[in-house]
Amino acid sequence: MALFVSIKKKFKEFDLDVKFKTDGKYLGILGASGSGKSLTLKCIAGVETPDEGRIELNGKILFDSKKNINIRPQERKIGYLFQNYALFPNMTVERNIGTGIELSKEDKKTKIKKLINLFHLEGMENKYPSQLSGGQQQRVALARIFAYNPNILMLDEPFSALDCFLKEQLHTEISDLLKLYDGEVLMVSHSRDEIYKFCENLVIIENGKSIHTGNTKEAFKKPKFLTSASLTGCKNITKIEIIDPFNIYAVDWGIYLKIKKKISMHTKYIGIRAHDIKMVQEKNDENIIFCSVVKIVEEMYEFAVFLKANTNIPKGSKKNTRIWMNIKKDEWSDININDEIYIKIPEDSIMLLEK
């Protein structure tokens, strides 16, 4: 089973231009708020109509501008979990789940009961959505979708309406429930942690345009674009000047760095993960930087240490010149603000980024 999407549509805010396909593995759509993630799902579901392009699901064309095909949303057999779950407020849990089930009265009752047990909703059959917690509402919404037997399940920011504690609980719970589903799964989120946890492949969208598709872990390890690095959690990004194929000048930090991989002329920035930067004692090695500690923030399992390279930063630099380093608590040394330390930026940890 597979989904193929290649569509364009003009909106007031931007032009939507996305292209991707699935291969039976969970696909995540990652992007900042307002980048066009949810609009993409609406086009797939038929809620929005693209200006041009094609959408195909399991060999069936849902939309094709050239062939003048546009299947009605009701006939696309798509399970769409909205951000607010879209439960009917005047219906009980039992009736919400039963909406759309076209079976005999007895068979419908049996199927609803099976879904209630499957989604651990026993004792809530006669409750209304307003009487349920956020997690319970989500399970009801998923049970209603499962009852429909869709060819694809689309989750639009499924955890955005939940508090942090409940969110962590439901990550495992929803992961287990999704294993019961045998179709395509498409998840939209602005949370890199959720995409990394749930989705084997991902699409990154920026200002309505899909700028990267591929394996999720590979995209986090080796992002190609500035936006990709930022969305996948890179804390240290600076504009660069290329000195030669293996050496650069990091403009916003005022330091020179040696790169392991040959630098393309398309490279405009570099990115370094905070956990890849290490504090060292030796001074005579590649990419050793002398820094001052300007801020220390204690987090749950590590310390975030903000550094400033003891070099001359060019006037007019508009970016944050601080370098962010994470140190695990079991590796922590006695460091204080205003201390001067040496750090090493490993050559193979430097990510080369295009605009």
Side-chain angles (χ1 to χ4, degrees), residues 87-96 99 127-129 144:
L87 297 175
F88 296 108
N90 60 335
M91 289 187 182
T92 62
V93 166
E94 197 171 55
R95 288 185 62 200
N96 260 292
T99 303
K127 289 188 176 182
Y128 291 89
R144 183 174 64 184

Side-chain angles (χ1 to χ4, degrees), residues 19-80:
K19 183 176 182 178
F20 60 86
K21 64 179 179 179
T22 63
D23 58 0
K25 298 176 181 177
Y26 292 3
L27 179 73
I29 300 180
L30 178 66
S33 297
S35 61
K37 306 184 302 296
S38 295
L39 289 173
T40 299
L41 292 194
K42 289 178 180 178
C43 287
I44 296 170
V47 179
E48 292 279 357
T49 301
D51 297 329
E52 60 179 285
R54 184 165 65 93
I55 302 171
E56 184 178 319
L57 178 60
N58 301 335
K60 180 181 179 181
I61 297 176
L62 304 182
F63 174 82
D64 192 317
S65 57
K66 292 182 179 178
K67 296 181 179 179
N68 199 29
I69 297 174
N70 188 19
I71 303 298
R72 294 193 311 149
Q74 300 90 328
E75 298 172 1
R76 297 195 179 197
K77 207 167 184 184
I78 289 174
Y80 195 164

Side-chain angles (χ1 to χ4, degrees), residues 29 33 63 72 101 136 145 172 181 214 222 230 243 270 307:
I29 300 180
S33 297
F63 174 82
R72 294 193 311 149
I101 298 180
Q136 290 166 345
I145 291 172
T172 301
Y181 177 69
K222 296 178 181 178
S230 179
I243 306 302
I270 60 164
L307 308 162

Side-chain angles (χ1 to χ4, degrees), residues 335-348:
I335 303 173
N336 299 293
I337 294 175
N338 296 324
D339 281 356
E340 294 182 323
I341 64 173
Y342 288 92
I343 62 169
K344 180 175 176 61
I345 299 176
E347 294 176 39
D348 56 0

Side-chain angles (χ1 to χ4, degrees), residues 212 218 221-225 240-249 257-271 286-287 345-354:
H212 176 89
E218 188 66 18
K221 186 178 180 181
K222 296 178 181 178
K224 183 178 180 181
F225 297 100
I240 66 163
E241 293 176 0
I242 299 174
I243 306 302
D244 62 43
F246 296 96
N247 290 275
I248 58 98
Y249 176 67
L257 294 170
K258 187 176 183 62
I259 311 292
K260 188 173 185 178
K261 183 180 177 182
K262 188 175 181 180
I263 305 164
S264 162
M265 295 306 295
H266 297 293
T267 302
K268 303 299 180 184
Y269 298 84
I270 60 164
E286 299 286 1
N287 295 354
I345 299 176
E347 294 176 39
D348 56 0
S349 71
I350 299 173
M351 300 179 292
L352 307 179
L353 308 172
E354 297 178 18

Side-chain angles (χ1 to χ4, degrees), residues 194-234:
E194 290 171 9
I195 294 294
Y196 193 89
K197 187 177 292 186
F198 284 93
C199 304
E200 294 170 271
N201 294 322
L202 89 164
V203 179
I204 295 176
I205 295 183
E206 179 186 19
N207 295 327
K209 186 176 182 179
S210 51
I211 62 169
H212 176 89
T213 60
N215 178 268
T216 300
K217 290 184 178 179
E218 188 66 18
F220 274 69
K221 186 178 180 181
K222 296 178 181 178
K224 183 178 180 181
F225 297 100
L226 176 65
T227 298
S228 302
S230 179
L231 286 172
T232 56
C234 183

